[in-house]
Amino acid sequence: MIKEYNKIAIITEDEEITYSQLLMHINRFSQFTPKGERTKCIIFSENRKGWIYAFFSVWQNKGIAIPVDATSTVDDLAYIIKDCSPEFIWTSVSRADTANEAIKKAGASTQVLLIDEYESREAQGAKAKIEFDKNDTAVLIYTSGTTGSPKGVMLSFSNLYSNMAGVVDEVPIYNSHRRTLMLLPVHHILPLMGTIVVPLITGDGIAICPSLSGPDIMKTLCKGEVGIMIGVPRLWQTLYSGIKKKIDEKAVTRALFTLCEKVGSKRLSRFIFQSVHKKMGGHLMYCVSGGAALDKEIGEGLRTLGINVLEGYGMTETSPIIAFTRPDDIIPGCVGKPLPSVECKIVNGELLAKGPNVMQGYYNRPEETASVLDSDGYIHTGDLAEIDSEGRIRITGRTKEIIVLSNGKNVQPNEIEYKLEKYDEYIKEAAITERNDMLVAIIVPQQSWAEGKTTAEMEQQLKRLVIEPYNLTVENYKKVMKIFVYEGDLPRTKLEKLQRFKLKDILDGKAETQADAPMTDEPTFEEYLLIKKFIEQEKRIPVCSTSHFETDIAMDSLDKVSLQGFIENTFGMQIELDELMQLATVGNLASHVAQGKTQINTEDVDWKKIFNQKSSHLSLPVCSWTHPLMSSLFTSFFKVYNNLSVKGRENIPLGGPYIIAPNHQSYIDGPLVMSGLTREELRNSYFYATENHVKSSLARHLASRHNVVIMERRDLKNSIMRLAEVLKKGKNVVIFPEGHRSEDGKLGEFKKTFAILSKELNVPIIPVRISGAYDALSRKNHLIRPVRLSVEYLPKIDPARYGTYEEITAAVKNAIAEDNRQ
């Protein structure tokens, strides 16, 4: 690992970790990780910095790391525990119950270690030193299972190094100046290698994205100045669709897109669509797509925007890269040339690969290993392919997917599926299988076309509009003789590969479909409609309140993380994966969100009616004698240490109620806001704080004695009503409209809670401009610096002058921003 110890290795949502700190954390984790060569350890957790510490600690102790999907069920995890008999598991608190139940079900005695207990401890002590023999097994990765039970793929350090050398030395994609975005679940070999192992070992560093939501991705790209981003086709499809939708809204941008498409100049595209690149941080050099084939249209569309996507091709068994497109040789639909160290050839139409990247074998499965690795060392990929005169590879199908009919004819199903899916006005997706020596098409209809039609009507029309025209163009043995309309989602792996072995269950009626779900009495409340719309857009299938996340919607790990991000961004609440799966259906989730949300679509809420409800029963915190005393001590300290100046005292009304709305730069903003208030004003002013800031029992006790109203996520309505009660009693409220500290000292987005209270209760707002606090104590600092501070109470804003909450919010933000010297 890099020796530049002071260089930033990891950027998270709220901290930066140097290589020195990273190595100390790894060493600390290794002290609790059982030692011994070939000792096996499962890492079962969501993406987080502690995952990285745990992973490398296994290597430091010469063990074998086994990354497992954080969304695995008890049965999934029990299967892996039984198969490989790990000595211990590093897991998170949120997944500990699943881990313990799986161990019990597997009848194992595996030790459980909690990442949370060690992750946030201060980095200190010796630095980790990771030494290994190149032939040692480094990781055991369980395949997704497109044909049956997952198999453990053994990859050596030599296997992993060959991939790293290919994208660092042989084709320099990674270097010490390009930070990589850690986004995808790292139990897959592609994100494990591409977003942890290679960038950290080569010194690029990584930025951990907290979720798969669009805002979080864009925020992390900008904050981390990310140069490399790895995603699966669905991510690029979502990105492109969102950008293209905005482009299509205006004739001018549509024309510019067409111009760039025809000219084909990357420089011109980046110039015209520079705003797109700026929103993505402005440093993004390479986007990489892997896990499944990228639709040619998506690749060409992103290229028109000046975003070149490098396609990688490979498999878990090849660590994972076999081939990838070079930056100067991008052809959409082509997976590029093999790694320089990899040799490829075509035998009977199938692609074979040989090189130092090929796995050691399947764990405890010598026969299955021999079935894919021949005596010459070539791995049989199972993919049909073509290699052009320049050495570029184009994948054309799968050998294991070939349907052999009784007449001896071979049918490649994906060829027929591709032709049927061209009728996209009627068909969302199609799968071809065989029943009684006849080809059967399982068709998922487009929601817009299927609406109002019975299954029988859809089958009849699809035969006439799709199947008959198709059958006229092909030989007899390729004709589709029967269709089956399926109103669910075709079974796929977590990287979008079709699980063909499950198609028989659909035909046999063993798989639940949307048609089985009752469509009457659908909910109409806002939370349900928003969640329903989001899932339908993401999965491109119709859903209803009884749609089941697993059986009907077939949500994989990426879908679940994306849904988590949507809920957090839209409704202001976090939901654990276990909780999400226990809720089971869209309707249950929507009801749960309706009860626990912290953000509300204000246009649909009658706040006046809510504030007029009886609220005298709600308890309020009290003001201890220590409250004014502490404020006075803080003010004296800031005046001496930071040369604090207080301006605008004349703008504070002689009596309440009023709302004080300051900008939020640091932890010292609370005491700074109080620095200009008199003793009486302090006693009559209440702060509004989220429950995240008062987690401990001691903090809650202090809050109850120092005029702090806590925002309870599970009881948001009563939390806001407490604030209304404070104001109705003629007292004052202090609310930070940004909700959290600034990351860069600049004003963030203002939330509307304070504006709602102001308008509905006709209470004026006193904007407060805090300057210097970010430099004195930013998120990166632990000690207050002697930087000059100032607090200015600005002229009051009368809510009667404004028509909407948004106008009030904007007025306050503009007042603070005006001539703001942050």
Side-chain angles (χ1 to χ4, degrees):
M1 198 169 284
I2 191 171
K3 298 296 184 182
E4 296 179 47
Y5 294 135
N6 292 326
K7 188 174 181 180
I8 299 300
I10 300 171
I11 294 177
T12 70
E13 196 172 9
D14 52 12
E15 68 176 314
E16 294 181 351
I17 300 159
T18 65
Y19 272 93
S20 178
Q21 292 169 325
L22 169 61
L23 291 171
M24 290 179 191
H25 281 300
I26 293 170
N27 189 62
R28 177 188 291 277
F29 269 60
S30 72
Q31 294 170 14
F32 303 97
T33 301
K35 298 175 176 60
E37 291 188 17
R38 300 185 65 80
T39 299
K40 295 183 290 297
C41 170
I42 283 177
I43 300 151
F44 179 54
S45 165
E46 63 282 357
N47 285 11
R48 58 195 295 174
K49 59 187 180 183
W51 197 106
I52 299 169
Y53 305 157
F55 177 82
F56 283 114
S57 77
V58 178
W59 280 4
Q60 178 169 346
N61 288 343
K62 298 188 180 300
I64 300 172
I66 309 170
V68 174
D69 186 355
T71 65
S72 296
T73 64
V74 170
D75 288 341
D76 292 336
L77 184 57
Y79 169 86
I80 293 174
I81 293 172
K82 242 180 184 178
D83 189 67
C84 67
S85 303
E87 282 79 3
F88 57 102
I89 296 177
W90 274 109
T91 189
S92 59
V93 168
S94 65
R95 307 303 294 147
D97 288 345
T98 300
N100 286 313
E101 288 179 40
I103 291 169
K104 184 178 180 180
K105 185 161 189 174
S109 56
T110 309
Q111 181 183 350
V112 174
L113 300 169
L114 293 179
I115 290 174
D116 305 65
E117 291 185 4
Y118 310 100
E119 180 182 52
S120 297
R121 294 187 184 182
E122 184 179 351
Q124 56 185 3
K127 297 180 178 67
K129 292 183 68 175
I130 300 174
E131 299 174 344
F132 51 81
D133 186 291
K134 66 179 182 178
N135 295 318
D136 287 345
T137 301
V139 292
L140 189 58
I141 305 284
Y142 277 81
T143 59
S144 301
T146 57
T147 57
S149 300
K151 299 182 288 289
V153 177
M154 296 185 294
L155 299 175
S156 68
F157 285 100
S158 179
N159 293 150
L160 302 184
Y161 178 78
S162 69
N163 255 236
M164 185 171 73
V167 294
V168 175
D169 302 324
E170 296 162 352
V171 182
I173 302 299
Y174 290 83
N175 62 35
S176 59
H177 306 295
R178 293 186 191 130
R179 188 171 288 116
T180 301
L181 184 70
M182 179 178 166
L183 176 67
L184 302 177
V186 288
H187 64 278
H188 292 300
I189 185 63
L190 172 62
L192 174 61
M193 283 295 291
T195 67
I196 292 184
V197 176
V198 176
L200 285 178
I201 288 179
T202 58
D204 307 12
I206 64 175
I208 302 178
C209 190
S211 79
L212 280 169
S213 69
D216 276 345
I217 292 174
M218 296 304 176
K219 182 179 176 182
T220 310
L221 286 173
C222 294
K223 179 180 178 181
E225 298 183 350
V226 170
I228 300 174
M229 178 178 174
I230 296 177
V232 292
R234 184 173 64 253
L235 177 66
W236 304 120
Q237 180 177 342
T238 302
L239 173 67
Y240 175 67
S241 298
I243 297 172
K244 190 64 165 61
K245 184 177 179 182
K246 291 185 178 180
I247 288 173
D248 289 341
E249 288 174 355
K250 298 179 181 179
V252 174
T253 47
R254 286 200 305 270
L256 289 172
F257 183 86
T258 301
L259 173 66
C260 291
E261 191 174 31
K262 290 180 178 178
V263 174
S265 166
K266 182 178 179 181
R267 180 176 294 180
L268 175 64
S269 294
R270 290 183 74 91
F271 174 74
I272 288 178
F273 297 108
Q274 57 186 290
S275 62
V276 173
H277 295 272
K278 188 175 181 181
K279 287 179 181 177
M280 298 176 73
H283 293 80
L284 197 59
M285 181 64 68
Y286 296 122
C287 296
V288 180
S289 181
L294 179 68
D295 187 277
K296 187 176 180 180
E297 180 184 343
I298 304 299
E300 290 175 343
L302 288 170
R303 192 175 185 180
T304 299
L305 295 170
I307 302 172
N308 283 342
V309 181
L310 307 181
E311 281 197 70
Y313 164 74
M315 51 203 301
T316 304
E317 291 86 341
T318 57
S319 311
I321 304 174
I322 291 176
F324 70 97
T325 52
R326 306 308 196 257
D328 58 351
D329 188 32
I330 297 175
I331 301 175
C334 173
V335 298
K337 298 176 183 178
L339 287 172
S341 61
V342 174
E343 179 185 343
C344 290
K345 64 180 180 179
I346 304 294
V347 177
N348 297 325
E350 182 185 7
L351 180 67
L352 276 59
K354 179 181 180 180
N357 60 331
V358 176
M359 68 172 180
Q360 295 174 309
Y362 294 121
Y363 184 76
N364 281 344
R365 299 197 185 192
E367 292 182 3
E368 293 190 44
T369 301
S371 70
V372 296
L373 281 176
D374 63 27
S375 57
D376 293 325
Y378 281 93
I379 187 165
H380 293 240
T381 66
D383 287 313
L384 298 174
E386 298 171 350
I387 302 179
D388 68 15
S389 58
E390 298 295 324
R392 303 185 195 92
I393 298 172
R394 189 182 301 275
I395 305 300
T396 60
R398 290 281 295 165
T399 58
K400 292 180 181 179
E401 295 174 354
I402 292 176
I403 297 172
V404 182
L405 301 175
S406 59
N407 59 9
K409 297 290 186 180
N410 293 341
V411 178
Q412 185 60 249
N414 69 314
E415 176 189 331
I416 300 175
E417 291 159 0
Y418 176 75
K419 291 181 178 180
L420 294 182
E421 287 175 358
K422 282 190 172 182
Y423 295 87
D424 55 6
E425 182 181 348
Y426 317 109
I427 296 177
K428 175 181 174 288
E429 56 179 340
I432 298 296
T433 186
E434 176 269 337
R435 176 61 58 92
N436 298 327
D437 208 36
M438 294 187 300
L439 296 183
V440 180
I442 300 174
I443 294 176
V444 178
Q446 290 286 10
Q447 180 188 3
S448 56
W449 175 78
E451 192 171 352
K453 296 181 179 70
T454 65
T455 301
E457 288 172 340
M458 283 189 280
E459 286 184 358
Q460 186 178 21
Q461 292 185 36
L462 286 170
K463 285 178 183 178
R464 177 171 55 84
L465 297 170
V466 177
I467 302 304
E468 290 178 7
Y470 160 78
N471 283 344
L472 290 173
T473 65
V474 297
E475 300 173 72
N476 286 335
Y477 73 92
K478 290 184 179 179
K479 289 183 177 179
V480 173
M481 306 306 294
K482 185 178 177 60
I483 66 172
F484 183 90
V485 174
Y486 182 60
E487 296 181 73
D489 206 18
L490 294 180
R492 297 184 182 276
T493 69
K494 293 170 183 179
L495 291 182
E496 292 295 305
K497 296 177 182 177
L498 185 62
Q499 294 179 303
R500 294 188 181 276
F501 70 97
K502 293 183 178 181
L503 297 179
K504 300 290 185 183
D505 287 343
I506 293 177
L507 294 182
D508 294 338
K510 295 178 181 178
E512 295 181 32
T513 71
Q514 284 300 116
D516 299 326
M519 299 297 290
T520 57
D521 298 326
E522 276 286 274
T524 58
F525 59 95
E526 186 70 4
E527 295 81 7
Y528 169 74
L529 296 176
L530 289 170
I531 292 172
K532 171 184 165 73
K533 181 180 179 182
F534 173 79
I535 295 174
E536 287 180 340
Q537 289 178 340
E538 286 287 300
K539 298 294 290 183
R540 296 189 174 183
I541 62 168
V543 302
C544 63
S545 62
T546 57
S547 295
H548 194 282
F549 294 124
E550 297 283 5
T551 57
D552 296 330
I553 305 175
M555 298 192 82
D556 64 19
S557 58
L558 298 182
D559 294 324
K560 293 167 189 173
V561 175
S562 183
L563 181 57
Q564 281 183 297
F566 170 77
I567 291 171
E568 184 172 351
N569 287 326
T570 306
F571 303 109
M573 64 182 291
Q574 294 181 340
I575 185 166
E576 297 295 335
L577 288 172
D578 278 343
E579 191 176 19
L580 180 64
M581 291 302 100
Q582 287 171 4
L583 291 167
T585 68
V586 177
N588 290 345
L589 173 63
S591 297
H592 178 72
V593 168
Q595 295 174 7
K597 66 187 176 186
T598 63
Q599 296 174 9
I600 299 175
N601 189 330
T602 56
E603 289 75 14
D604 293 332
V605 177
D606 189 347
W607 285 106
K608 187 176 291 293
K609 182 178 179 180
I610 290 175
F611 292 154
N612 284 333
Q613 292 177 11
K614 184 178 180 181
S615 56
S616 57
H617 65 288
L618 297 174
S619 60
L620 296 176
V622 297
C623 183
S624 168
W625 62 271
T626 59
H627 182 50
L629 175 62
M630 292 298 294
S631 176
S632 178
L633 291 174
F634 272 117
T635 301
S636 298
F637 171 80
F638 291 136
K639 285 184 176 181
V640 173
Y641 187 72
N642 297 97
N643 195 19
L644 171 66
S645 65
V646 179
K647 309 172 187 175
R649 265 283 314 161
E650 68 276 7
N651 292 318
I652 301 175
L654 296 177
Y658 50 82
I659 296 172
I660 296 176
N663 57 314
H664 202 359
Q665 295 188 336
S666 78
Y667 276 132
I668 60 176
D669 292 341
L672 287 176
V673 170
M674 295 188 293
S675 63
L677 303 182
T678 65
R679 186 181 185 88
E680 187 62 26
E681 288 166 345
L682 282 171
R683 297 185 66 86
N684 289 322
S685 296
Y686 289 71
F687 279 81
Y688 188 44
T690 65
E691 58 187 348
N692 288 336
H693 294 124
V694 284
K695 291 181 179 179
S696 68
S697 56
L698 175 61
R700 284 183 172 267
H701 173 73
L702 291 174
S704 70
R705 306 290 293 173
H706 289 79
N707 282 10
V708 177
V709 176
I710 301 172
M711 185 197 77
E712 302 279 359
R713 286 181 172 175
R714 301 292 180 186
D715 195 11
L716 177 64
K717 177 182 172 183
N718 280 343
S719 296
I720 297 179
M721 286 180 67
R722 282 186 174 89
L723 294 179
E725 183 67 13
V726 169
L727 294 169
K728 285 191 285 186
K729 288 184 175 181
K731 299 182 184 298
N732 317 312
V733 169
V734 180
I735 301 180
F736 291 98
E738 292 165 277
H740 55 79
R741 291 173 294 150
S742 171
E743 293 187 353
D744 54 8
K746 298 178 182 178
L747 284 179
E749 181 183 352
F750 275 32
K751 297 175 174 59
K752 293 183 278 190
T753 304
F754 77 102
I756 295 170
L757 289 162
S758 171
K759 184 163 183 62
E760 299 303 341
L761 297 175
N762 195 28
V763 173
I765 300 169
I766 311 301
V768 178
R769 182 185 299 145
I770 298 174
S771 301
Y774 178 78
D775 293 327
L777 187 65
S778 70
R779 286 172 176 261
K780 302 175 185 178
N781 299 330
H782 299 291
L783 296 174
I784 300 174
R785 299 168 60 195
V787 175
R788 183 181 176 86
L789 298 173
S790 71
V791 176
E792 184 174 1
Y793 301 90
L794 303 170
K796 73 176 182 180
I797 288 179
D798 185 353
R801 295 177 53 198
Y802 302 91
T804 66
Y805 307 140
E806 288 79 9
E807 290 175 357
I808 297 172
T809 303
V812 173
K813 184 175 182 180
N814 291 337
I816 295 174
E818 185 180 353
D819 298 326
N820 192 11
R821 295 180 295 277
Q822 299 179 56

